[in-house]
Amino acid sequence: MVIIKTKEEIEKMRKVGKLAAQLLKYVEPFVKEGVSTLYLNDLCEEYTQKNGAVSAPLNYHGFPKSICTSINNVVCHGIPSEDEILRDGDIVNVDVTVLLDGFHGDTSATFLVGNVPEEVKNLVLRTENALYRGINEIAPGKYLYEVGRAIEKYISKFGYSIVRDYGGHGIGRDFHEEPYVHHHYTREDAIRLRPGMIFTVEPMINMGNSYEVATSAEDGWTVTTRDGSRSAQFEHTVLVTDRGVEILTKL
Ligand code: MF3
Ligand code: CO
Ligand code: CO
């Protein structure tokens, strides 16, 4: 069942969404060649605590850190580490989720480190475009599958692939709630959107022609592309309003 949030709950989701957006903006200038992903993690943890919030990923189903950092061929759920140093030409997705006053806000962006090849820059740009194409479909009375349909229509032109094993999700008191949000077109998402629904849109786009991914046997978390191609992702938490959509994780 998809939860319809009350006015009071929506106000709290606005607050936590804003904090998540501020956190991502705060860490962005530190995403530079030579820094470790653990350093980014620790900065985020500190900022979150100072703002009276909690890092939702920490201990979530045993996840060991406060944020996810996913470099190059890592699709999602990369674990920050002292030994993982950002290099010139890398792309890295930083995914932050904060818990404030009982509610979650979830957002991510892929950042460029130094000189990134033009074709990889294009992947990142187009992945962000795809996120907004999807979000722009959202309005009360429309079907949720319009989100995936718009993303697929846009992305298919480039020969990229849309990851299928992970999707967006309802969000609120729980980190992950119903509905599941596919980023490709499927009638499984034949859910009518109603004002007060809150969910994420977070397409993961692989540069290669395969959407197949694998999870690390070693750490149980890190998801990589099977073909080794690079993967980008952007994420927002959004609210269905009476008139359309409101991005809660935008500054
Ligand atoms: N932030 C991710 C999402 O967008 C989920 C991370 S789960 C974790 O849904 F355990 F890896 F943190
Ligand atoms: Co996220
Ligand atoms: Co999410």
Side-chain angles (χ1 to χ4, degrees):
M1 212 200 52
V2 181
I3 296 167
I4 304 295
K5 267 79 174 175
T6 65
K7 261 195 168 138
E8 292 73 25
E9 290 170 333
I10 289 168
E11 243 348 280
K12 290 181 177 183
M13 286 300 293
R14 283 200 177 102
K15 287 212 173 93
V16 69
K18 190 168 182 195
L19 178 61
Q22 287 168 335
L23 170 58
L24 196 58
K25 190 191 163 158
Y26 161 75
V27 76
E28 178 171 8
F30 296 99
V31 181
K32 287 271 141 36
E33 184 183 354
V35 310
S36 74
T37 50
L38 186 65
Y39 179 61
L40 302 177
N41 177 85
D42 294 351
L43 288 170
C44 287
E45 178 57 44
E46 184 189 48
Y47 185 97
T48 300
Q49 283 183 21
K50 276 193 178 152
N51 284 278
V54 169
S55 300
L58 186 61
N59 300 320
Y60 181 79
H61 293 278
F63 190 78
K65 295 291 174 200
S66 304
I67 62 171
C68 296
T69 49
S70 303
I71 300 177
N72 295 337
N73 62 315
V74 178
V75 173
C76 63
H77 303 168
I79 302 172
S81 158
E82 195 174 5
D83 309 323
E84 190 175 60
I85 310 295
L86 298 181
R87 295 289 169 219
D88 183 53
D90 283 348
I91 59 171
V92 58
N93 173 275
V94 176
D95 190 341
V96 301
T97 312
V98 289
L99 172 61
L100 180 71
D101 199 13
F103 289 85
H104 293 80
D106 191 4
T107 184
S108 85
T110 299
F111 301 115
L112 309 176
V113 180
N115 259 321
V116 173
E118 197 65 27
E119 52 169 16
V120 179
K121 268 193 206 165
N122 282 338
L123 169 73
V124 173
L125 257 161
R126 289 160 176 171
T127 301
E128 187 171 24
N129 292 343
L131 168 64
Y132 288 106
R133 295 271 180 135
I135 289 173
N136 282 337
E137 293 299 316
I138 298 167
K142 287 179 72 176
Y143 283 104
L144 178 61
Y145 59 61
E146 298 296 353
V147 172
R149 177 141 75 177
I151 293 171
E152 183 172 316
K153 185 176 178 213
Y154 174 70
I155 281 300
S156 59
K157 299 197 280 258
F158 307 113
Y160 302 152
S161 320
I162 302 165
V163 171
R164 291 179 172 244
D165 290 2
Y166 298 89
H169 50 90
I171 182 167
R173 289 188 191 277
D174 286 326
F175 193 160
H176 294 100
E177 301 178 351
E178 284 183 41
Y180 185 89
V181 181
H182 292 86
H183 298 112
H184 64 280
Y185 177 48
T186 166
R187 288 275 167 169
E188 281 176 64
D189 292 356
I191 292 166
R192 259 198 216 276
L193 299 176
R194 289 175 52 196
M197 288 182 177
I198 298 181
F199 53 86
T200 72
V201 181
E202 48 180 300
M204 285 147 267
I205 307 296
N206 298 349
M207 207 160 137
N209 59 12
S210 165
Y211 57 72
E212 301 241 30
V213 300
T215 305
S216 162
E218 220 147 84
D219 65 32
W221 283 101
T222 309
V223 177
T224 53
T225 59
R226 286 230 181 226
D227 62 10
S229 76
R230 298 223 211 182
S231 188
Q233 179 181 27
F234 286 81
E235 173 175 25
H236 274 309
T237 298
V238 304
L239 163 71
V240 182
T241 65
D242 293 326
R243 309 186 44 190
V245 63
E246 179 181 328
I247 300 177
L248 300 178
T249 45
K250 212 167 171 180
L251 288 172

